[in-house]
Amino acid sequence: MWTFNVTGKIKAGRGAAGEVGVETAALGRRAALVVGRHLIKAGEAARLQSILGVAGVEAVVIPGPPAEPTLDDIAEALAKARNARTEVIVGVGGGSVLDTAKAVAGLYGVPGVPGEVVADMLYGRRPEPGSRQVLPWVALPTTAGTGSETTHVVVVTDPGHGLKQSMRSSRWFARVVIIDPELYASAPPQVTAWSGMDALTQAIEAHTALYATPVTKALSAQAASLISRHLIRSYRAGDDLEAREAMAVGSCLAGIALANSRLGLVHGIAHPVGVRYKIAHGLACAILLPHVMRFNLSVAGAGYAELAQVIGIAEAGPLVAHRLIEMVEEMNRQMQIPAKLAAVGLREADFPDLIAQTMPSGSTKANPRAVGRDDVAEILAANL
Ligand SMILES: [Fe+2]
């Protein structure tokens, strides 16, 4: 048996951000606008605040986290939203900002001090929040990457324990997702490359994950196709709105797929690697993806072959699955992404810790090929 959960509504197209007023007003009159810091500087937060104002929504601005959110970042944003007696949350930014907005909405009404509420949820020390404890939230993504806008997952770093892990609730899907390619145009090439490779990793991992279903596979195949055909274009010309829109929709579809199928070993290893070497999630995924695909090939080859054909890079034949791996390596090369984690500081002395943190991950458990400690060690060794 399987279930398919999905966000309430998606509105996509140029100028769609203008819809934020009417969509938010339907959910509440007092909003907290959790916004990426560069968007505040660029005047985008003020523009959205005035669109909300015209629709009769009073909005306070809460700056998003400076990097991938920590426990403290989320607790601080939650405290600010509670002080403003908010009825609806609007998240505008990349995956880190959207994850923060989602966590604030998702834990808003859970009784307790913000820091404890967030830590208890992250470490599974309390039950899933009840429907009355969760606020509705609206997502306006500005990078094509995590797909946070269409998932119910929040990834949190706990620097005190050197851990990065996810928390989730089936009540945490955004009520409305607004995709406006114009909001993506300012993402610099490196952010575009790294977050775009996260999106591609998610599409490929979702497609071959243990819990993939016919519905998620339809979405992940289309996501992989849109992303692999438009990422290099968006990287080379940020103002190519046609490519930006295809990437935006692709990462959004990958998000819907992974929320239901889960992911795989790239994500299992990427979280501990990201924390240890302080590198962006998308960069860790990009480097690891071809290595893990080679490991999975014996089990996931048919899934890779299917994707290669949907993307249009290969006809049916014995080597078609290999073509997908080569395509990923070529995309990395074109965007100056290194082939091995050694380039970001991987050391053999760290292997025991990295392996210990990879094994219990939900993503590792959803990988199509069963993973042992020795397998992780081999993949890491190939990265030296
Ligand atoms: Fe990811």
Side-chain angles (χ1 to χ4, degrees), residues 145-146 198-199 201-202 258 263 267 271 281-282 285:
T146 64
D198 180 24
T201 304
Q202 294 179 167
L258 81 88
L263 289 163
H267 276 77
H271 284 175
H281 170 67
C285 287

PDB file of all heavy atoms in Angstrom, residues 145-146 198-199 201-202 258 263 267 271 281-282 285, ligand 1:
ATOM      1  N   GLY A 145      16.365  24.077  -6.199  1.00  0.00           N
ATOM      2  CA  GLY A 145      17.274  23.172  -5.507  1.00  0.00           C
ATOM      3  C   GLY A 145      16.552  22.169  -4.647  1.00  0.00           C
ATOM      4  O   GLY A 145      16.030  21.170  -5.147  1.00  0.00           O
ATOM      5  N   THR A 146      16.446  22.467  -3.357  1.00  0.00           N
ATOM      6  CA  THR A 146      15.968  21.489  -2.377  1.00  0.00           C
ATOM      7  C   THR A 146      14.543  20.994  -2.627  1.00  0.00           C
ATOM      8  O   THR A 146      14.179  19.935  -2.160  1.00  0.00           O
ATOM      9  CB  THR A 146      15.928  22.085  -0.961  1.00  0.00           C
ATOM     10  OG1 THR A 146      14.972  23.149  -0.961  1.00  0.00           O
ATOM     11  CG2 THR A 146      17.261  22.616  -0.556  1.00  0.00           C
ATOM     12  N   ASP A 198      21.667  19.646  -6.565  1.00  0.00           N
ATOM     13  CA  ASP A 198      20.868  19.038  -5.491  1.00  0.00           C
ATOM     14  C   ASP A 198      19.534  18.566  -6.082  1.00  0.00           C
ATOM     15  O   ASP A 198      19.087  17.436  -5.849  1.00  0.00           O
ATOM     16  CB  ASP A 198      20.636  20.054  -4.363  1.00  0.00           C
ATOM     17  CG  ASP A 198      19.811  19.496  -3.215  1.00  0.00           C
ATOM     18  OD1 ASP A 198      19.789  18.258  -3.035  1.00  0.00           O
ATOM     19  OD2 ASP A 198      19.190  20.296  -2.481  1.00  0.00           O
ATOM     20  N   ALA A 199      18.916  19.445  -6.877  1.00  0.00           N
ATOM     21  CA  ALA A 199      17.622  19.104  -7.488  1.00  0.00           C
ATOM     22  C   ALA A 199      17.755  17.869  -8.392  1.00  0.00           C
ATOM     23  O   ALA A 199      16.903  16.975  -8.364  1.00  0.00           O
ATOM     24  CB  ALA A 199      17.084  20.297  -8.275  1.00  0.00           C
ATOM     25  N   THR A 201      20.060  15.524  -8.187  1.00  0.00           N
ATOM     26  CA  THR A 201      20.296  14.368  -7.313  1.00  0.00           C
ATOM     27  C   THR A 201      18.971  13.868  -6.751  1.00  0.00           C
ATOM     28  O   THR A 201      18.708  12.660  -6.711  1.00  0.00           O
ATOM     29  CB  THR A 201      21.220  14.766  -6.136  1.00  0.00           C
ATOM     30  OG1 THR A 201      22.429  15.302  -6.668  1.00  0.00           O
ATOM     31  CG2 THR A 201      21.529  13.568  -5.255  1.00  0.00           C
ATOM     32  N   GLN A 202      18.139  14.814  -6.320  1.00  0.00           N
ATOM     33  CA  GLN A 202      16.861  14.424  -5.721  1.00  0.00           C
ATOM     34  C   GLN A 202      15.952  13.738  -6.731  1.00  0.00           C
ATOM     35  O   GLN A 202      15.279  12.758  -6.404  1.00  0.00           O
ATOM     36  CB  GLN A 202      16.201  15.645  -5.087  1.00  0.00           C
ATOM     37  CG  GLN A 202      17.047  16.106  -3.914  1.00  0.00           C
ATOM     38  CD  GLN A 202      16.523  17.332  -3.191  1.00  0.00           C
ATOM     39  OE1 GLN A 202      17.003  17.629  -2.104  1.00  0.00           O
ATOM     40  NE2 GLN A 202      15.568  18.039  -3.745  1.00  0.00           N
ATOM     41  N   LEU A 258      10.145  13.259  -3.905  1.00  0.00           N
ATOM     42  CA  LEU A 258      10.929  12.776  -2.752  1.00  0.00           C
ATOM     43  C   LEU A 258      10.137  12.811  -1.442  1.00  0.00           C
ATOM     44  O   LEU A 258      10.407  12.006  -0.534  1.00  0.00           O
ATOM     45  CB  LEU A 258      12.236  13.569  -2.606  1.00  0.00           C
ATOM     46  CG  LEU A 258      12.191  14.929  -1.911  1.00  0.00           C
ATOM     47  CD1 LEU A 258      12.357  14.814  -0.412  1.00  0.00           C
ATOM     48  CD2 LEU A 258      13.282  15.834  -2.466  1.00  0.00           C
ATOM     49  N   LEU A 263      14.748   9.326  -0.494  1.00  0.00           N
ATOM     50  CA  LEU A 263      15.895   9.580  -1.375  1.00  0.00           C
ATOM     51  C   LEU A 263      16.832   8.375  -1.408  1.00  0.00           C
ATOM     52  O   LEU A 263      16.394   7.263  -1.609  1.00  0.00           O
ATOM     53  CB  LEU A 263      16.610  10.857  -0.916  1.00  0.00           C
ATOM     54  CG  LEU A 263      15.799  12.140  -1.190  1.00  0.00           C
ATOM     55  CD1 LEU A 263      16.308  13.315  -0.391  1.00  0.00           C
ATOM     56  CD2 LEU A 263      15.850  12.479  -2.677  1.00  0.00           C
ATOM     57  N   HIS A 267      22.212  11.388  -0.306  1.00  0.00           N
ATOM     58  CA  HIS A 267      21.769  12.241   0.802  1.00  0.00           C
ATOM     59  C   HIS A 267      22.210  11.696   2.155  1.00  0.00           C
ATOM     60  O   HIS A 267      22.466  12.455   3.079  1.00  0.00           O
ATOM     61  CB  HIS A 267      20.260  12.475   0.736  1.00  0.00           C
ATOM     62  CG  HIS A 267      19.906  13.597  -0.198  1.00  0.00           C
ATOM     63  ND1 HIS A 267      19.920  13.417  -1.556  1.00  0.00           N
ATOM     64  CD2 HIS A 267      19.614  14.900   0.030  1.00  0.00           C
ATOM     65  CE1 HIS A 267      19.623  14.580  -2.137  1.00  0.00           C
ATOM     66  NE2 HIS A 267      19.433  15.491  -1.198  1.00  0.00           N
ATOM     67  N   HIS A 271      24.848  14.675   4.177  1.00  0.00           N
ATOM     68  CA  HIS A 271      24.589  15.454   5.404  1.00  0.00           C
ATOM     69  C   HIS A 271      25.797  15.470   6.337  1.00  0.00           C
ATOM     70  O   HIS A 271      26.263  16.557   6.700  1.00  0.00           O
ATOM     71  CB  HIS A 271      23.320  14.968   6.098  1.00  0.00           C
ATOM     72  CG  HIS A 271      22.076  15.432   5.396  1.00  0.00           C
ATOM     73  ND1 HIS A 271      20.805  15.040   5.761  1.00  0.00           N
ATOM     74  CD2 HIS A 271      21.894  16.257   4.346  1.00  0.00           C
ATOM     75  CE1 HIS A 271      19.918  15.605   4.961  1.00  0.00           C
ATOM     76  NE2 HIS A 271      20.556  16.343   4.097  1.00  0.00           N
ATOM     77  N   HIS A 281      25.128  21.967   0.867  1.00  0.00           N
ATOM     78  CA  HIS A 281      24.486  20.672   0.629  1.00  0.00           C
ATOM     79  C   HIS A 281      24.546  20.260  -0.844  1.00  0.00           C
ATOM     80  O   HIS A 281      24.879  19.121  -1.173  1.00  0.00           O
ATOM     81  CB  HIS A 281      23.031  20.759   1.115  1.00  0.00           C
ATOM     82  CG  HIS A 281      22.205  19.587   0.729  1.00  0.00           C
ATOM     83  ND1 HIS A 281      22.419  18.329   1.241  1.00  0.00           N
ATOM     84  CD2 HIS A 281      21.176  19.457  -0.157  1.00  0.00           C
ATOM     85  CE1 HIS A 281      21.552  17.486   0.705  1.00  0.00           C
ATOM     86  NE2 HIS A 281      20.791  18.145  -0.144  1.00  0.00           N
ATOM     87  N   GLY A 282      24.229  21.199  -1.728  1.00  0.00           N
ATOM     88  CA  GLY A 282      24.185  20.880  -3.158  1.00  0.00           C
ATOM     89  C   GLY A 282      25.544  20.472  -3.695  1.00  0.00           C
ATOM     90  O   GLY A 282      25.643  19.593  -4.558  1.00  0.00           O
ATOM     91  N   CYS A 285      26.220  16.905  -2.632  1.00  0.00           N
ATOM     92  CA  CYS A 285      25.410  15.984  -3.460  1.00  0.00           C
ATOM     93  C   CYS A 285      26.013  15.839  -4.850  1.00  0.00           C
ATOM     94  O   CYS A 285      26.112  14.727  -5.385  1.00  0.00           O
ATOM     95  CB  CYS A 285      23.981  16.506  -3.603  1.00  0.00           C
ATOM     96  SG  CYS A 285      23.005  16.333  -2.119  1.00  0.00           S
TER      97      CYS A 285
HETATM   98 FE    FE B   1      19.018  17.542  -1.190  1.00  0.00          FE
END
